[in-house]
Amino acid sequence: MSDFPVYDEVHVISDIHMGGAEPNFQVLRETERLAGYIGWVAAQCPEGDVALVLNGDVFDTLAEKTQDYIVVEKAVQVVEQIMQNPSFSGIWDALAAFVAAPGRTLVFIIGNHDIEISFATVQRLIVKRLAGDELLKRARIEFSTIGAGFTCTVGESRVYCTHGNEVDAWNYNRYEDLAKVGRRLNAGRGLAPKEWVPNAGTRMVKEVMNPVKEKYKWIDLLKPETQAAVGTLLVLDPSQARKIGDLVSIVGERVSGSKQVNQRLSAEGFQASESVGTAPKSVDKLLGANLSQGLRDYQLRDTQDVDAMLLQSEANLGTPNGQLFEQDGQLGTGQLILDRLTGWLRNIPKEEALRRAMKDWLAGDKTFDHQDQDDTYKEVTAVVGDAIDFIVTGHTHLERAIDMGGGRYYFNCGTWIRLLRFTEQMLNDKVAFAPVYEVLLNGSMESIDGASFGGQSFVMDQTSAVSIKKTATGVVGSLTHVLADGRGEPEVIQTFARA
């Protein structure tokens, strides 16, 4: 007998990101397709047991108009607003129909944009919305919100699903602190904003990305954690320089789990995680080589030498939790180094600076290579035991299907939000980039959705899923693309068979 739940089929999707009060602020577009796909999964293997795993970032409280890094007293209200939003209500209806079917199990795994799902109050809200007071339906809903992921068996194979932010130094969750917040809620106590120390990724979204997104709706369709993203953000909105200056010094942070204080019996003492091994990053890496070279190319003879400024910036990058700040009179007493960077950016035509920054962002890009062994693959597989046959992650928004050898396989189930397709041709020179720049400068989702370059739509029609199924000869795992209205058989991209 298995120690874990047993299914005939497991279907996994991730990074749905339901959130944003206004349609033009929402990154999830294929809502009807998603509802159709949920119905399709419900109809599979009618006589067997089927699980649908929502592998993190199901909803996105960071996209809601709240001031806090974590929503506590108003968590139920905020999540309920997302559920009732006309853009997303059909998805919740489909999930309710799914748990109404016998032999179906719905699993919610915590991500880094939906950390409030760890609260019992939010879980009760979700269960009530999907199952009402019917005990059989309620029993078909499971939550994994303590960082343990979800493990089950399909045939003779063991399957492990986890969001993937656990190995991301920008976006890790502090599960013990989340548990303390839950204790506060149950005990009728509040949480002072200063008590919660957000991770760097959350700060980047709330402090930098969301303000930029007010004008450039597409900005978070690109991963903000990429180092060269700093250059792109500075080009788009130089006013964000001071905020970015607070963040770049913690690029490269690594969390030492063994040094975190364990206070399981206490609701006191929210403690920021210690960081170790913080490696200084060069300014060229943070801004990108092309943009840095552009600063040099456009410098004026009668102004401060840009190389000296860049070197001074680089010298200050190793200071943990410090700003890129320089008191030396040569660069201007009390001058934030990034203020100087933006000064140089003003000497470059904005379209050229953005082209260079985007080119850096996508340098050596393997975004759409589903066999690329990226950092998430390397770090997750390094810590998962040999007893696991199929590993399924999300978080990066980048689908993957990799044969690990020895009858073990790794999948990343990608995302359901929009994905922008940049090509080398689009960023090759000023002429090629001009029409792209016009669309980006417009900033709206409508212009992004309607754009095409070189005969290809700017927004990729790619909504990903992973399925792991028991067969007569063993177990088959597949990376698939869900198409059209989601009610048909998904397109298989990569399949691995395990006897």
Side-chain angles (χ1 to χ4, degrees):
M1 179 178 177
S2 172
D3 295 330
F4 302 99
V6 179
Y7 301 103
D8 296 287
E9 297 185 7
V10 173
H11 300 264
V12 192
I13 57 177
S14 183
D15 294 271
I16 300 168
H17 288 275
M18 287 184 278
E22 303 168 0
N24 208 29
F25 209 73
Q26 297 164 2
V27 294
L28 173 63
R29 180 176 68 171
E30 304 298 342
T31 53
E32 293 184 9
R33 178 182 295 177
L34 179 53
Y37 172 73
I38 294 167
W40 178 85
V41 173
Q44 301 308 297
C45 196
E47 302 303 319
D49 294 308
V50 177
L52 174 61
V53 179
L54 306 182
N55 202 16
D57 287 356
V58 179
F59 52 84
D60 192 341
T61 57
L62 297 182
E64 297 297 300
K65 292 185 176 180
T66 63
Q67 297 300 314
D68 300 324
Y69 297 109
I70 182 173
V71 185
V72 181
E73 285 86 354
K74 295 184 178 180
V76 169
Q77 176 184 333
V78 170
V79 176
E80 191 168 31
Q81 288 174 352
I82 294 173
M83 289 178 169
Q84 294 175 349
N85 190 305
S87 296
F88 311 123
S89 58
I91 297 171
W92 294 97
D93 290 341
L95 292 173
F98 181 87
V99 300
R104 313 297 95 161
T105 300
L106 178 63
V107 181
F108 289 87
I109 296 177
I110 192 172
N112 55 294
H113 283 246
D114 56 3
I115 58 177
E116 292 83 1
I117 202 172
S118 65
F119 303 158
T121 52
V122 173
Q123 293 179 16
R124 282 193 290 270
L125 170 70
I126 293 172
V127 170
K128 185 72 172 180
R129 170 66 175 85
L130 300 183
D133 296 321
E134 297 186 44
L135 294 181
L136 281 177
K137 292 181 182 179
R138 295 169 74 95
R140 296 173 186 144
I141 304 172
E142 295 192 24
F143 294 92
S144 175
T145 61
I146 61 172
F150 177 76
T151 299
C152 63
T153 59
V154 177
E156 299 298 320
S157 298
R158 188 180 294 186
V159 179
Y160 172 66
C161 302
T162 188
H163 185 56
N165 65 304
E166 298 84 357
V167 298
D168 181 352
W170 275 75
N171 290 293
Y172 60 87
N173 291 334
R174 297 196 309 279
Y175 295 103
E176 180 57 33
D177 283 356
L178 284 173
K180 291 174 188 174
V181 178
R183 294 171 202 151
R184 291 278 183 93
L185 286 172
N186 281 352
R189 298 172 55 190
L191 179 74
K194 66 180 180 180
E195 289 185 277
W196 184 261
V197 181
N199 60 45
T202 295
R203 289 182 59 197
M204 179 70 96
V205 171
K206 293 292 284 187
E207 298 175 25
V208 179
M209 302 295 283
N210 281 353
V212 175
K213 189 178 175 183
E214 290 291 343
K215 182 175 182 180
Y216 304 102
K217 308 299 183 185
W218 53 271
I219 187 61
D220 60 359
L221 302 185
L222 299 170
K223 290 295 287 179
E225 296 84 356
T226 307
Q227 291 173 16
V230 173
T232 303
L233 289 166
L234 286 174
V235 170
L236 289 171
D237 190 353
S239 69
Q240 301 301 320
R242 191 170 295 274
K243 296 177 184 177
I244 293 173
D246 290 335
L247 296 177
V248 292
S249 63
I250 54 177
V251 174
E253 177 185 89
R254 292 295 180 267
V255 178
S256 176
S258 63
K259 294 187 178 181
Q260 293 190 40
V261 176
N262 188 337
Q263 299 180 0
R264 293 186 182 279
L265 299 180
S266 172
E268 306 298 336
F270 287 80
Q271 180 165 331
S273 300
E274 295 185 50
S275 60
V276 297
T278 304
K281 302 290 180 179
S282 71
V283 170
D284 275 4
K285 286 185 178 179
L286 287 171
L287 296 184
N290 282 285
L291 183 55
S292 295
Q293 185 58 49
L295 297 177
R296 297 181 178 96
D297 291 346
Y298 281 88
Q299 67 174 300
L300 303 178
R301 291 183 179 180
D302 58 348
T303 57
Q304 168 68 39
D305 179 73
V306 71
D307 280 305
M309 181 271 296
L310 290 173
L311 287 172
Q312 185 61 62
S313 300
E314 188 169 322
N316 288 344
L317 281 174
T319 305
N321 302 319
Q323 293 182 330
L324 302 187
F325 194 85
E326 171 58 33
Q327 296 289 346
D328 187 276
Q330 182 183 13
L331 294 179
T333 301
Q335 214 28 276
L336 187 69
I337 294 296
L338 281 176
D339 286 344
R340 282 299 179 104
L341 289 179
T342 56
W344 285 105
L345 287 172
R346 294 186 189 100
N347 292 326
I348 306 178
K350 189 170 185 177
E351 59 270 29
E352 175 62 5
L354 184 57
R355 183 186 73 84
R356 286 176 174 271
M358 297 297 292
K359 194 169 183 177
D360 285 320
W361 201 333
L362 300 171
D365 181 48
K366 295 184 178 179
T367 298
F368 305 116
D369 178 1
H370 67 260
Q371 295 183 328
D372 176 53
Q373 298 184 7
D374 57 20
D375 288 343
T376 300
Y377 164 82
K378 293 174 183 175
E379 296 191 35
V380 169
T381 56
V383 296
V384 173
D386 293 342
I388 302 297
D389 303 301
F390 291 93
I391 302 170
V392 187
T393 66
H395 182 55
T396 67
H397 298 180
L398 309 178
E399 62 182 25
R400 294 290 184 264
I402 300 172
D403 186 343
M404 298 169 58
R408 303 178 67 224
Y409 306 97
Y410 172 91
F411 292 101
N412 186 308
C413 49
T415 184
W416 277 71
I417 72 168
R418 293 169 173 87
L419 288 173
L420 298 184
R421 186 201 306 265
F422 286 90
T423 65
E424 291 184 7
Q425 290 75 21
M426 292 164 60
L427 302 173
N428 187 53
D429 54 39
K430 298 177 183 178
V431 174
F433 187 64
V436 183
Y437 177 73
E438 289 301 318
V439 171
L440 296 177
L441 195 64
N442 177 282
S444 71
M445 286 296 188
E446 289 86 352
S447 63
I448 292 291
D449 285 341
S452 62
F453 305 101
Q456 288 186 330
S457 174
F458 197 14
V459 176
M460 297 180 65
D461 185 14
Q462 179 173 303
T463 45
S464 307
V466 168
S467 66
I468 301 171
K469 303 179 182 181
K470 179 182 177 181
T471 68
T473 58
V475 176
V476 171
S478 301
L479 172 67
T480 66
H481 288 170
V482 182
L483 307 173
D485 63 1
R487 299 183 181 278
E489 190 80 22
E491 177 188 10
V492 175
I493 305 303
Q494 180 74 60
T495 293
F496 300 123
R498 188 173 188 274

